[in-house]
Amino acid sequence: DVKVTQSSRYLVKRTGEKVFLECVQDMDHENMFWYRQDPGLGLRLIYFSYDVKMKEKGDIPEGYSVSREKKERFSLILESASTNQTSMYLCASSYAYGYTFGSGTRLTVV
Amino acid sequence: AQKITQTQPGMFVQEKEAVTLDCTYDTSDPSYGLFWYKQPSSGEMIFLIYQGSYDQQNATEGRYSLNFQKARKSANLVISASQLGDSAMYFCAMRGVAQGGSEKLVFGKGTKLTVNP
């Protein structure tokens, strides 16, 4: 069964901490995506990557960066976490028309 | 830029009845794809149905069908014979082309469907 795995289901971090959210896919997909989901706002695209070491900004990249050193792994980095980054974060990967999502990481910044 | 609009924050339906969830989209790309996803309270995103912009027939998958009206730029999801397990958030999404030529998926804000017994 194909999978997108996010390393943590729940995470609590302090304001100002550097936070890494990890996502691994086992489908050899070219494209990977990071979204954040907030009530009433749906899923908003933060960053995506279409190849190793390649990245593109999504709709809300401010306060975030990403890393894709290997094809299967796409990391989202919060350089200095703030309370307004408390949210559900969803990773996805895609090939052609098929998109597969991870189960999400609920991040709370206190 | 691509945009998806879901105007129904919440919908209620009686068990065994049909329900339509609305979705309109905006894009200048001639080639695009439209998706519907279901997100139960557990949080996972479950793919339901896909419609390509050049597909002549409306997509169907079991109890799910997509009412695709290209001229009106609408892609409504119809769920027939609703079940209690259909209670969830439903998201409409569009596959579009980003500035660099790669693909991305753009989502609407979602509709929360509640099925009453």
Side-chain angles (χ1 to χ4, degrees), chain A residues 28-71:
Chain A
D28 202 35
H29 284 173
E30 302 285 338
N31 302 322
M32 295 187 74
F33 307 82
W34 275 107
Y35 292 87
R36 68 175 278 176
Q37 182 179 3
D38 301 287
L41 297 178
L43 279 76
R44 293 178 292 166
L45 183 62
I46 306 171
Y47 264 99
F48 60 107
S49 168
Y50 49 90
D51 203 349
V52 175
K53 297 191 188 292
M54 306 301 285
K55 61 186 179 185
E56 273 197 51
K57 292 181 180 178
D59 300 314
I60 52 163
E62 297 78 21
Y64 302 94
S65 63
V66 290
S67 171
R68 191 157 180 211
E69 296 296 317
K70 293 184 177 181
K71 193 175 187 180

Side-chain angles (χ1 to χ4, degrees), chain B residues 27-32 53-54 70:
Chain B
T27 181
S28 56
D29 296 328
S31 176
Y32 52 90
S53 58
Y54 295 118
K70 198 169 182 177

Side-chain angles (χ1 to χ4, degrees), chain A residues 3-8 22-26 34 91 101-103:
Chain A
K3 274 192 174 176
V4 175
T5 303
Q6 293 183 232
S7 53
S8 304
E22 305 287 349
C23 176
V24 177
Q25 50 102 357
D26 65 0
W34 275 107
C91 175
F101 284 82
S103 53

